[in-house]
Amino acid sequence: MAGNKRVTLAEVAALAGVSAITVSRAIRQPGIVSEKVKNRVEAAVRELGYVPNPAARLLATGRSNVIGVVIPSITNNVFADVVSGIYDAVEGTDFEVQLGNTRYSPSQEEGLLRIFSSQRPAGLIVAGIDQTAASLDMLASIDCPVVQIMELSADPVGHCVGLSHYEAARHASAHLVEQGYRRVGFLGARMDPRTQRRFSGFREVAEAAGVFDERRVCTTTTPSSVTLGSQLLADLLAKAPDVDAIFCNNDDLALGALFEAQRRRLSVPDQLGICGFNDLEMVSAAEPAITSVFIPRYQMGRQAVDLVTQGIASDGENPTEIRDLGFELRARRSTARKQD
Amino acid sequence: MAGNKRVTLAEVAALAGVSAITVSRAIRQPGIVSEKVKNRVEAAVRELGYVPNPAARLLATGRSNVIGVVIPSITNNVFADVVSGIYDAVEGTDFEVQLGNTRYSPSQEEGLLRIFSSQRPAGLIVAGIDQTAASLDMLASIDCPVVQIMELSADPVGHCVGLSHYEAARHASAHLVEQGYRRVGFLGARMDPRTQRRFSGFREVAEAAGVFDERRVCTTTTPSSVTLGSQLLADLLAKAPDVDAIFCNNDDLALGALFEAQRRRLSVPDQLGICGFNDLEMVSAAEPAITSVFIPRYQMGRQAVDLVTQGIASDGENPTEIRDLGFELRARRSTARKQD
DNA sequence: TTGACAAATGATAGCGCTGTCAAGAATGAT
DNA sequence: ATCATTCTTGACAGCGCTATCATTTGTCAA
């Protein structure tokens, strides 16, 4: 049953005493062949260890079983969870996942999409809504379900599964204000469009509450890291020593900021409130536990795949769906300034 | 140049005024067609936006450009970095990466390998050396370069790029002893074979130094997390309150243990030394910074791809290579008990 | 100029599978 | 028993590309 030479349909057919096309049908649509033949074919398949050749199938049908996934980073925990949801959702189906990594570069994304679209994918899942015009053109004209994830688009090219990062940031910022913090600051890394939307949410709430100050904003285009969070807090304290709370662009920064606060013997949450974003597992375990905004990363992956498979099942003509998966502020000790 | 209907070789050939096969050659082996024809073909390719159909190519050549990668988890930072190295190394070549996730299940691994081998991959990269007998059979008989990564095998099925986790753990454990800790413990999660090898390293060094005690070993088969690190330390302190240092199976546990120590006002490193494994970015940023064993994850990915591409270039008959990429103990404050 | 040889290009077949249509077998109503 | 209908099965062609061999063109020495 091992053996490394390929077994073809024809060989299975010969062994089962039927024609090749019948074997093909027995495998793909077991319902339409007779019980007897199906059993014979199954036995032959098992005996020879036959595995279909996907390339031949693809060539013959012009449709692949590959769901292309385009994300900006594979090391970022957020996308790792999304991808995990995608893989789990694909498990047990006939689909395969093909990952593409844009490294946060719109032009690399364009290149990846060009390649993907030339391979007649079964579906396409892309992170974000900030594609280039050319990328959007490709997505609009490609003949397969397309799902944008992470965010909600006012003008989606296909389906959309995500949440409003702007609203989520507003929520978190309002929480800081509610907790009594009056000199709130912002720590941001990478500053990609998604981050900037979070920043606007923060800024608007802070301004409305009259607690916004440019001096308390520390951002960089450098990729995020825990170490960077420490540095950014150090920079912020240098510029604005009176800051009493920070909203961090993501949890790495928040954790780094917590460590820096510990180094400086700044008590969290009393002297400094810290709020992160994403709610990675580690921030809930921190001491003190860090407040963060949970976003349903894993679910986004799963549901994106669902939309793709549904789109294929309904043969394309189902309406564009926009799923707002929301977010959840998880208030923890790091922002518990008021007694509770 | 956009357009979503496929452009075929034949159309390019017609436009360039040559035959299909000439176009094929102009693309794959530009050296063997005349300058004039090559230019005409290139112009036609550009004008039509031609992209080769990989399925047809695969069917015709019987060789795909897919490097299969089999790892136990996609969310684990360690593998994320390995995968990142793999993707970076593949970038700019003609190869593609196809990821398979075993979820630490040998039988799932076997299934994945079965699928991969049926697709005539260009190469196969698998994590670890603890495959089932059936998996090893497949790997041994498959007609493409195979690379086992993460560890060093005494009896590799193909190439090997990794390090001795046993030795690395010995090193880290010896460090704890050197620092003057005398009641060292071990925290372990998942307890997969790789983890167990680390445990043996720890155990042997601790026993040799006369500081080993079963009561100071806390392990679980649960997947690792920061929260789990806190719990395991709590369990350990309940069983053996006199423990003065811990070697943690990985950095998540180490960070969780640090947080738990902070909650209990146990001073690190004086009352409790903490050593992690992997040297993820976050532990170096922690307060106090956590000692850990760096392993060249990213490089493992890169070099695995190199071995695959070399193997293909040399057409199979290059000798099996075993690359020990080593490790590096990064001693930090969390184990700096002696004055320094 | 001619022939010998190399370089460049083309014709043909086929990779393994599935879509399409045609034919045969089974079923039920009359 | 006969015919119409459905259910099963098969023959054939072709998806887009490349391996192989055949042919044409170009180059150089005699």
Side-chain angles (χ1 to χ4, degrees):
Chain A
M1 175 228 88
N4 55 357
K5 61 266 301 166
R6 312 268 328 200
V7 180
T8 71
L9 249 199
E11 298 171 54
V12 176
L15 180 61
V18 294
S19 72
I21 185 67
T22 300
V23 176
S24 173
R25 284 194 276 248
I27 290 171
R28 291 180 306 147
Q29 313 158 53
I32 68 166
V33 299
S34 69
E35 202 62 29
K36 205 167 40 176
V37 169
K38 192 169 69 191
N39 291 337
R40 279 220 310 277
V41 169
E42 278 171 3
V45 164
R46 229 172 301 118
E47 182 173 341
L48 297 173
Y50 170 73
V51 184
N53 180 331
R57 177 179 288 176
L58 168 53
L59 189 58
T61 60
R63 273 231 147 282
S64 86
N65 63 340
V66 169
I67 298 180
V69 176
V70 177
I71 54 173
S73 159
I74 22 186
T75 47
N76 184 322
N77 284 306
V78 172
F79 293 106
D81 285 338
V82 171
V83 169
S84 192
I86 291 174
Y87 271 89
D88 283 1
V90 158
E91 184 96 358
T93 71
D94 279 334
F95 295 105
E96 281 174 34
V97 175
Q98 182 94 42
L99 227 52
N101 177 8
T102 72
R103 298 146 209 250
Y104 288 94
S105 150
S107 65
Q108 286 211 30
E109 179 173 54
E110 209 175 299
L112 278 172
L113 287 176
R114 201 177 305 287
I115 293 174
F116 274 137
S117 20
S118 76
Q119 314 205 5
R120 296 213 171 228
L124 227 35
I125 298 175
V126 301
I129 55 174
D130 301 289
Q131 288 79 24
T132 64
S135 293
L136 289 173
D137 276 357
M138 276 188 277
L139 290 175
S141 63
I142 195 170
D143 179 33
C144 74
V146 171
V147 187
Q148 287 171 307
I149 58 172
M150 300 307 291
E151 306 203 47
L152 300 174
S153 173
D155 179 28
V157 284
H159 304 295
C160 220
V161 188
L163 60 105
S164 165
H165 291 248
Y166 168 79
E167 285 299 338
R170 287 184 62 99
H171 228 78
S173 309
H175 168 74
L176 290 177
V177 174
E178 269 165 35
Q179 294 297 308
Y181 295 107
R182 286 295 170 269
R183 295 184 299 279
V184 299
F186 181 89
L187 259 41
R190 179 79 68 180
M191 298 314 282
D192 56 296
R194 195 151 39 249
T195 304
Q196 291 181 24
R197 258 168 240 131
R198 288 183 207 149
F199 176 62
S200 337
F202 165 80
R203 178 178 192 134
E204 291 187 19
V205 165
E207 281 178 343
V211 301
F212 183 79
D213 188 330
E214 288 277 8
R215 289 180 311 118
R216 290 196 295 265
V217 175
C218 260
T219 63
T220 166
T221 52
T222 311
S224 182
S225 71
V226 180
T227 305
L228 183 63
S230 296
Q231 283 171 16
L232 284 175
L233 178 55
D235 294 350
L236 176 60
L237 289 170
K239 281 189 358 187
D242 64 339
V243 62
D244 66 359
I246 48 175
F247 174 49
C248 301
N249 174 39
N250 67 43
D251 282 347
D252 287 344
L253 297 184
L255 188 60
L258 173 63
F259 289 141
E260 185 62 20
Q262 291 177 348
R263 269 185 282 275
R264 291 164 178 255
R265 307 268 179 271
L266 274 175
S267 97
V268 175
D270 295 329
Q271 294 172 273
L272 184 72
I274 298 180
C275 178
F277 199 99
N278 288 327
D279 196 39
L280 300 185
E281 190 262 337
M282 62 184 182
V283 301
S284 67
E287 169 56 27
I290 300 176
T291 297
S292 193
V293 180
F294 170 80
I295 67 173
R297 311 181 278 282
Y298 180 85
Q299 272 304 319
M300 271 188 257
R302 288 208 76 113
Q303 298 206 16
V305 173
D306 288 348
L307 284 172
V308 167
T309 52
Q310 279 173 30
I312 292 166
S314 70
D315 208 22
E317 281 324 314
N318 58 339
T320 290
E321 208 173 312
I322 306 224
R323 293 196 188 166
D324 184 350
L325 263 41
F327 54 88
E328 191 185 313
L329 178 71
R330 303 222 164 132
R332 303 200 177 91
R333 277 226 356 263
S334 74
T335 55
R337 193 190 223 182
K338 299 191 299 196
Q339 292 331 58
D340 50 4
Chain B
M1 174 228 93
N4 54 359
K5 60 262 303 163
R6 311 271 326 202
V7 180
T8 70
L9 248 200
E11 297 171 54
V12 176
L15 180 61
V18 295
S19 70
I21 184 67
T22 300
V23 175
S24 172
R25 284 196 276 246
I27 290 171
R28 292 180 304 145
Q29 313 159 54
I32 70 166
V33 298
S34 69
E35 203 62 29
K36 207 168 41 177
V37 167
K38 193 170 67 188
N39 291 336
R40 281 219 311 276
V41 168
E42 279 172 3
V45 164
R46 232 172 299 119
E47 183 173 338
L48 297 173
Y50 170 73
V51 184
N53 180 331
R57 178 177 288 175
L58 168 52
L59 189 56
T61 60
R63 273 234 146 278
S64 87
N65 64 338
V66 169
I67 298 179
V69 176
V70 178
I71 54 173
S73 159
I74 23 185
T75 48
N76 185 322
N77 284 307
V78 172
F79 293 107
D81 285 338
V82 171
V83 169
S84 193
I86 290 175
Y87 271 88
D88 283 1
V90 158
E91 184 97 358
T93 71
D94 280 334
F95 296 105
E96 281 175 35
V97 174
Q98 182 94 42
L99 227 53
N101 177 7
T102 71
R103 297 143 210 254
Y104 289 94
S105 150
S107 64
Q108 286 210 32
E109 179 172 56
E110 206 173 300
L112 278 172
L113 287 176
R114 200 176 307 287
I115 293 173
F116 274 135
S117 19
S118 77
Q119 313 204 6
R120 295 211 170 227
L124 228 34
I125 299 175
V126 300
I129 55 173
D130 301 288
Q131 288 79 22
T132 64
S135 293
L136 290 173
D137 275 356
M138 277 189 276
L139 290 175
S141 63
I142 195 168
D143 178 32
C144 73
V146 172
V147 186
Q148 288 171 309
I149 58 172
M150 302 306 292
E151 305 202 48
L152 301 174
S153 173
D155 180 28
V157 284
H159 303 295
C160 220
V161 188
L163 60 105
S164 164
H165 291 250
Y166 168 79
E167 285 299 337
R170 287 185 62 99
H171 229 77
S173 310
H175 168 73
L176 290 176
V177 174
E178 267 165 39
Q179 294 296 309
Y181 294 107
R182 287 294 170 268
R183 295 184 299 279
V184 298
F186 181 89
L187 260 41
R190 178 81 66 180
M191 298 313 283
D192 56 297
R194 198 153 35 250
T195 303
Q196 290 181 25
R197 257 167 241 133
R198 288 185 206 146
F199 176 63
S200 341
F202 165 79
R203 178 178 191 134
E204 290 187 19
V205 166
E207 281 178 342
V211 301
F212 183 81
D213 187 330
E214 289 275 8
R215 288 180 312 116
R216 291 195 294 264
V217 174
C218 260
T219 63
T220 166
T221 52
T222 310
S224 181
S225 72
V226 179
T227 305
L228 183 63
S230 296
Q231 284 171 15
L232 284 175
L233 178 56
D235 293 352
L236 176 60
L237 288 170
K239 281 187 2 187
D242 65 339
V243 62
D244 66 359
I246 48 173
F247 174 51
C248 302
N249 173 38
N250 67 42
D251 283 347
D252 286 345
L253 297 184
L255 188 61
L258 173 62
F259 289 141
E260 185 63 19
Q262 291 177 348
R263 269 185 283 276
R264 292 166 179 254
R265 307 266 179 272
L266 274 175
S267 97
V268 175
D270 295 329
Q271 291 172 275
L272 184 72
I274 299 180
C275 178
F277 200 98
N278 287 328
D279 196 39
L280 300 184
E281 191 262 338
M282 62 185 185
V283 301
S284 66
E287 170 56 28
I290 300 175
T291 297
S292 193
V293 180
F294 170 81
I295 67 174
R297 312 182 277 284
Y298 180 86
Q299 273 305 320
M300 270 188 258
R302 287 208 76 112
Q303 299 207 16
V305 173
D306 289 348
L307 285 173
V308 167
T309 53
Q310 277 173 31
I312 292 166
S314 70
D315 209 21
E317 283 322 318
N318 58 339
T320 291
E321 210 174 309
I322 305 223
R323 293 197 189 165
D324 184 351
L325 262 42
F327 54 86
E328 191 185 311
L329 178 70
R330 302 222 166 132
R332 303 200 178 90
R333 279 229 349 266
S334 75
T335 55
R337 193 190 222 180
K338 299 191 298 195
Q339 290 333 57
D340 50 5

